[in-house]
Amino acid sequence: MKKTAIILLADEFEEIEAITPYDLLNEADVETKLISVSDETNVTGTNGLKVIADGLLKEIDAKKADCLIIPGGAGYQILKKEQSVLDLIQSFAKQPDKVLGAICAGSSILGELGIYQGKNYTCVPGLNGDFGGHYEKVHAVIDGNLVTGISVGGAMDFAYDLVEVLCSKEKKEALERQTCTIV
């Protein structure tokens, strides 16, 4: 059965941190959808890229997805104020058969929710708080079903790690060769 992933978008999302996982997961044959947390499918990124989301969070059953991804950018401020988003993040964090991915400022939301207790993680250094886990200043970190990315500069590694956790290490390596990351 085909794996599925959703990427939550709010206005001012960081484009590279959302679109890179979207692209590479779809390349890995993971059905990936961009989902708006507002009442509009039109969402504008932090650098002005206008995206038409595949759906609205309030209209889908997001818990059916295999993977939930939280990008960064200033839009993380909107995401962390939405109780439905916080509840969804908590739900994915508690299920070992689900993958929870967050990058940059989006990763700080998980820290604020206590999800990093006893775990390895990364997020943008300026928003790293006392999250109770082990912070690593690297592009991406896998800890069980949790995948975190540091920022825009780690978006490719973050996306490849999502492929590894959702699919397999072999699928990740094949995709790295296909996209000439490994030459």
Side-chain angles (χ1 to χ4, degrees):
M1 191 164 159
K2 193 172 194 173
K3 299 277 186 169
T4 59
I6 59 172
I7 301 171
L8 297 185
L9 298 182
D11 280 331
E12 298 291 317
F13 71 93
E14 170 46 58
E15 292 95 339
I16 291 173
E17 296 167 1
I19 302 305
T20 300
Y22 175 85
D23 182 45
L24 291 178
L25 285 167
N26 276 300
E27 286 287 336
D29 203 30
V30 174
E31 184 180 330
T32 307
K33 302 288 184 191
L34 299 170
I35 302 298
S36 171
V37 301
S38 75
D39 293 331
E40 301 282 332
T41 55
N42 294 323
V43 188
T44 303
T46 193
N47 293 301
L49 179 68
K50 296 185 185 320
V51 173
I52 300 173
D54 298 301
L56 304 177
L57 181 59
K58 67 182 184 179
E59 294 177 351
I60 66 163
D61 187 356
K63 291 182 181 178
K64 287 185 177 179
D66 297 300
C67 178
L68 173 67
I69 301 165
I70 310 298
Y76 92 101
Q77 294 282 2
I78 296 168
L79 295 176
K80 75 182 205 172
K81 291 178 184 172
E82 292 287 333
Q83 191 60 49
S84 62
V85 170
L86 301 178
D87 292 344
L88 190 59
I89 291 169
Q90 296 268 25
S91 173
F92 270 75
K94 293 175 184 172
Q95 299 180 64
D97 61 328
K98 302 281 187 176
V99 177
L100 177 58
I103 184 167
C104 195
S107 293
S108 70
I109 298 170
L110 280 62
E112 291 172 9
L113 290 171
I115 292 170
Y116 298 142
Q117 292 290 323
K119 300 217 178 246
N120 298 312
Y121 72 94
T122 193
C123 70
V124 65
L127 291 177
N128 183 38
D130 184 14
F131 295 144
H134 179 257
Y135 175 77
E136 297 181 38
K137 192 174 182 182
V138 295
H139 281 166
V141 174
I142 298 172
D143 191 322
N145 69 331
L146 180 64
V147 180
T148 53
I150 196 164
S151 189
V152 170
M156 292 288 284
D157 291 335
F158 172 68
Y160 286 130
D161 283 356
L162 287 166
V163 170
E164 179 177 334
V165 176
L166 267 170
C167 302
S168 69
K169 187 171 182 96
E170 294 76 23
K171 183 76 141 184
K172 170 189 173 180
E173 290 170 352
L175 185 59
E176 287 174 323
R177 284 189 299 280
Q178 175 188 331
T179 58
C180 298
T181 300
I182 297 176
V183 290

